[in-house]
């Protein structure tokens, strides 16, 4: 990376921080800046970002604003949910899974616009820098990556605001003071971390939660819903067929209303330290439960156990930023192979912070009442077979026990 | 197993089914019967079992009645919880983990009393027969195992009751009709399955749940509790030091009151078919959440990820009945090794069916606010290190991307 | 399996044992018998099997004799070698991988001829019965399987010969006495076990080896060969393009001549006991070494390590007979995904019992002399990046060390 | 690492490169240097290193020269061989396993002598820098690590020699010209890489091999040897009890004489690129074969398969430098647990480049001729048990097949 970049595609939110980065790139490198602003379902208007970019001197043809919600859910969120992915047993990877998509568009726009570099606003302590950059390098091995937070000397809030003022960057009034914590949001989740949340012993203040009602404030009546699946992906809610992003939006609405999907987690970052985050993943939490529910009757035990065994590694790869790696693709091939018959419907109960599967049915079901029944099974299963099954499974244990005896 | 048993130790509950088995063993084989009745926390009086055994002609010295609750939790439940074991992602293995202990005592009593066989009341379709028998063979390679349900011709309720009547076995009035489902209980959980539960599409009737209140009937106020851990095991609740069984009893009480730990699951049995169970594991559900909570700050990421990766196989071994196998012991050695510093306190919120970690602290904490902080970290972490970290992690991905280009 | 079979497809070698089975099926069940004799490369003429079947009264339209060598290598051996599969670290699975193909044809012929059962000549102690039957059931859930060795009372050599004589089954002179060990052969390997080999302390006699010269008798000159690969499969030897079965035949010839591929192994059978086998896999041993050789330069490290990690389980599935299981297919999908660029050429040295990769090259190579060189790399790699890489990899270890200090 | 080191412990071989480093540390940092020179079995005299260090102005009390061969084999090599560790299927990790021991002593000496830094002579492209430094940080979180190859500007051979001359560092005549490849050696192996070896297509020249005769030059007579094991470790050769380092020395002698243990490998480095190495591991290659041989009869199948499954990850951890990590220790605990009965004797045949197990026996054997025999087994094994065993293993496959049919 010896030479300065000539043209940079910046992942631009329109907020204060990425506006400062935009200006800093222009002044530090004297390079042309292209902005990319994506609607990932974070719940913010995008047009103000266009205006702000124009104000900061970006040429109209260099401003890219896109709604990528369907692509996000269809090509990233859903493949991941086929794996029942949970990082460290609990985290639904809401931030991690959005990064590869953003990087992919950054690289594509760089190629379209002839840019030789991309830039992002992630800090040097977090996982997001790794995710952005590994994805970028995997898609374009010669790309330059600029991570201003690792490079500049704007190391305090005061310096940042000074820089903004010197460079005529508008500062919203509520941004003068420091935010009490840092937020990332997309259609899958909202995460909050830092500052008031930095002591993991302390209960997170109520105002941190932004996307789910407090379970105590959720409806006093439970709600039953049904989610339909085809080949591992959710395709309908309560009988209404929906596109991927629409399914997730609907489940977010339902989950948010019932206070579902809150998580207070201390996790191990790829860069080596532990951090504490508050996550809200209302729709995703319902989706995971439902997907497990439909797999219970449609997925063979051998396939299910192999999936469970591969899952932690798959989740770790996504968390660490290796979406575009051969090993993630290998695991995905295995997982997708397993989903051919994961088709059917799950009924779930939503109530004051929790979601539970309470019924599931499918034409593809492997559940055989004929075999399992306590009643007469008409010869479907011969209980005497179990004797031989146990005897041969026990044989090596008996040989071990004989040795133990002999050795005494 | 060519010769008939001479003396059999029977896992005896005192209920109708095992009383019939007792009598059948006497009549079928003409052998002496020793009964073993254990208090595993199933919540039933044991003395009636003694009376009933005496009534059926068992000599006093052949009646063994024992409270094994502390041993159960200390030597079986707690080691398993160190692994965060969940079968098929959801099941806390409440039935599976009790079987090896029962088999162990059956074999020990057989050796004490000179018996050459053990017998149990599990059917030929389930997992429990496998668990009982693999454990028995692993502990005594020459033991005979008798599983009357696989052998006799008492294949209907009517025949069983006839046999009971012919043999003067007292039948409680409420046992005349058939139970609408089958139940297993111990200090860790209550499971219900069969009959009214056999259609996995149907919501389980409310009356199935026996150990937890309906979440809707739980207190309207959330309750905060604290669990203390030492080396991976819970040792106190709300600051009160407690023995293993007492901790679990206390957590059951708290979980039951808040409607925590219900699970409606279709699972893959070791014998090959899928079955549907309703599980209630109030204390265990709290314990799992709390154990993950304390591990979050005290367990290194490498250790935690290895544990997550090994867990499904560990859980499968327990589910399948391989507690006394070298591979379970190897995994246990790895897991136990990881728990040396899993010491500290977790605060949890219990509310209407759910339990969530909301705080955790420990002298053994690996969480370093100094490293993670958004504020000035006084040089604890050099953000520039991240650049090299990413560049080298990316190198192989860049080499792959170069090949892809070359191959186009 | 309550009712007697009406028409049975028998895996028929034409040898004495399966001829006795043929007759026994006719006499025991009075059923029509269809014979299937496959050329898997075992090196025996098949036409005598036709004559013998006719002699035993099988109708011509019920005699199936087929050369399945290409299918065997293309659809079974090669997919398995993509995984570098070794059972218990050493065994190339030569017997295991042939069974699913035989079962597949048995089931297909059963469907063609309207048979309701299949039969095989494997004993009740071995793995082959399991492999035949699991494959058969996976392909036809209603098929009856007959395993005469588990059923009949022809439990000694004398009784077998008596039965043969009573039934006019011709007995070759050299079959009067008992063979000193048992043999299985196909294009991939020859295995020998039993009798003179049953003491694993004793060196296997020289006459056991049938397919490879003694290394001491191999040429005194080493031979260099080149194997070409495309997408993980061998497609040429010394520059000559060849079909799958021809490649393997050629490698067998080369390996056999140089005494390559002998293995003396004690292995753990799926049915629970350990057994000792002598395996000769001349071509397969070369192929494994070559495949690893070409993967070394064409397969990414992440993919390679994932493959290594999955391999033992994949090998176990094949050994245990689960070729037609969802989990084997999932693993195959992952493995095949990894092989897209495993294309290139490997040079190997064959000499007196050993084969070693000594060179490899490929247009798809990921090896970058530019990066690795000890010479000036013109900036391809910045050694300073390594400092950051190490610092962040070390961070969690340093946090652990700080805790250890604190706890002293 | 902002401040300059005051006192540095240098891993010092006495060769030209580390002598230059020694001087460079003195001149660059003006710091006191402590030298540590270890006899790891590399086959070089150590006393010249003392003289050279004295000549370069190191105080006698700052010169540490130690024979650590027994510790190396007992505490590092043997624990690793219990795992049958192979990196990328082939590499016996001879370099990797020596680094943690050197780092351990560097840190201990730093603590003894009050040094605040350690230094090593590994370059910025290789794995060894990572291994040294991760180990150092894991043992002392505050240590400074100096890696001159990443820092200085002595980037060419010419500059290095100039620096040496300017600083009166004696240069052996044969060091004037550049070595045609780079070598690392210890009791376990010799590795060669770089320069003439950088094209992985080219056969390595004969003169690269230093420790093993060419197989063609090995004795024309095979040699049979016996290795005795106790709890997984080799304790005798041909009946003579030996210390760990003596066993390995003896096996090196035998292996070297028979041309055993050569490996030509392209491997994936932790820092991201592929590199080609020529390894000679004569004794280690014999030891691995022998250890597998004794495990074949003494290790349960479940334990053996779990070990095989864990091995690749264990090997990767050692290769990557994570010897002192919780996850390596967890895996070690599991592996060591499995070795309790790995006691007995293996007979091996050494011949012209290859080693093969040809017999093994043990009081701890699990091999049961009674069970496996083709002869009458007197009822040890009931073949009819296999029918039930297969039926229940097949059940889920049959349910899958029924679904497939239904779905057509």
């Amino acid at each position: 990376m010896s030479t300065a970049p000539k043209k940079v595609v910046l992942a631009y939110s329109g907020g204060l921080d990425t506006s400062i980065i935009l200006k800093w790139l222009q002044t530090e490198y004297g390079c042309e800046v292209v902005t990319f602003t994506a609607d990932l379902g974070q719940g913010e208007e995008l047009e103000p970002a266009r205006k702000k970019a124009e104000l900061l001197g970006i040429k109209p043809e260099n401003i890219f604003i896109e709604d990528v919600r369907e692509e996000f859910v269809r090509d990233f969120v859903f493949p991941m949910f086929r794996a029942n992915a949970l990082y460290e047993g609990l985290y639904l990877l809401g931030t991690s899974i959005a990064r590869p998509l953003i990087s992919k568009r950054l690289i594509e726009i760089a190629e379209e616009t002839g840019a030789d570099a991309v830039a992002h606003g992630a800090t040097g302590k977090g996982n997001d820098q790794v995710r952005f950059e590994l994805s970028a390098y995997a898609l374009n091995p010669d790309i330059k990556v600029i991570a201003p937070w690792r490079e500049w000397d704007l190391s305090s809030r005061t310096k940042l605001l000074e820089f903004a003022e010197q460079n005529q960057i508008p500062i919203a009034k509520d941004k003068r003071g420091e935010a009490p914590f840092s937020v990332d949001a997309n259609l899958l989740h909202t995460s909050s971390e830092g500052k008031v949340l930095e002591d993991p012993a302390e209960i997170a203040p109520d105002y941190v939660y932004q996307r789910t009602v407090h379970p105590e404030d959720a409806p006093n009546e439970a709600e039953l819903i049904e989610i339909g699946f085809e080949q591992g992906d959710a395709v309908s809610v309560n009988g209404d067929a929906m596109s991927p992003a629409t399914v997730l939006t609907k489940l977010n609405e339902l989950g948010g209303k019932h206070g579902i999907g809150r998580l207070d987690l201390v996790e191990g970052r790829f860069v080596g330290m532990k951090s504490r985050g508050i996550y809200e993943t209302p729709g995703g939490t319902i989706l995971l439960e439902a997907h497990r529910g439909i797999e219970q009757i449609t997925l063979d035990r051998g396939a299910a156990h192999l999936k469970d065994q591969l899952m932690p590694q798959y989740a770790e790869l996504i968390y660490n930023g290796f979406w575009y790696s051969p090993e993630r693709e290998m695991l995905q091939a295995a997982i997708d192979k397993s989903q051919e018959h994961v088709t059917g419907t799950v009924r779930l109960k939503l109530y004051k912070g929790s979601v539970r599967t309470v019924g599931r049915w499918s034409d593809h079901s492997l559940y055989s009442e004929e075999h399992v029944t306590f009643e007469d099974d008409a010869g479907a299963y011969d209980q005497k077979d179990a004797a031989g099954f146990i005897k041969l499974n026990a044989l090596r244990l008996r040989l071990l026990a004989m040795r133990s005896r002999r050795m005494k």
Side-chain angles (χ1 to χ4, degrees), chain A residues 84-94 261-267 279 281 285 288 311 315:
Chain A
N84 302 321
L86 286 173
Y87 182 69
E88 300 192 344
L90 294 165
Y91 171 40
L92 282 159
L93 295 160
R262 295 180 166 199
L263 174 65
D264 176 336
L265 180 72
V266 177
E267 77 205 41
Y279 300 109
T281 319
T285 301
L288 173 69
M311 185 276 279

Side-chain angles (χ1 to χ4, degrees), chain A residues 212-220 258-260 262 351-354:
Chain A
T212 51
V213 303
H214 295 293
E216 287 86 341
D217 299 334
N220 289 323
H258 287 284
I260 289 165
R262 295 180 166 199
Y351 178 65
K352 285 196 177 281
S354 67

Side-chain angles (χ1 to χ4, degrees), chain A residues 72 76-77 80 93-101 186 188 318 323:
Chain A
F72 175 49
F76 295 82
V77 174
M80 181 174 80
L93 295 160
T95 298
S96 325
I97 193 61
R99 300 321 188 196
L101 170 54
N186 61 45
L188 182 54
I318 293 178
W323 180 263

Side-chain angles (χ1 to χ4, degrees), chain A residues 7-15 18-23 25-26 32-38 46-66 102 105-106 109-110 112-113 115 117-119:
Chain A
K7 193 167 179 178
V8 184
V9 187
L10 169 65
Y12 183 60
S13 73
T18 52
S19 295
I20 291 173
I21 288 176
L22 194 165
K23 202 72 202 177
L25 289 170
Q26 291 170 329
E32 193 175 350
V33 175
V34 178
T35 60
F36 170 58
T37 309
L46 301 190
E47 283 311 308
R50 182 187 306 279
K51 294 214 184 73
K52 212 154 170 197
E54 282 170 357
L55 195 75
L56 291 163
I58 308 303
K59 293 184 236 163
E61 68 268 28
N62 280 345
I63 300 177
F64 290 76
I65 293 187
E66 301 175 10
I102 296 172
R105 289 299 298 136
L106 288 176
I109 292 170
E112 280 174 55
T113 59
V118 296

Side-chain angles (χ1 to χ4, degrees), chain A residues 375-386:
Chain A
E375 314 291 333
D376 188 341
D377 66 8
Y381 179 97
D382 182 351
Q383 301 209 19
K384 289 194 174 35
D385 287 337

Side-chain angles (χ1 to χ4, degrees), chain A residues 183-220:
Chain A
V183 173
D184 175 68
N186 61 45
L187 200 55
L188 182 54
H189 94 338
T190 296
S191 75
S192 304
E193 57 177 19
K195 296 177 188 160
V196 302
L197 299 171
E198 281 181 10
D199 181 352
E202 288 302 311
I203 298 184
D206 278 358
Y207 62 79
V208 169
Y209 296 94
Q210 305 171 41
R211 192 160 182 164
T212 51
V213 303
H214 295 293
E216 287 86 341
D217 299 334
N220 289 323

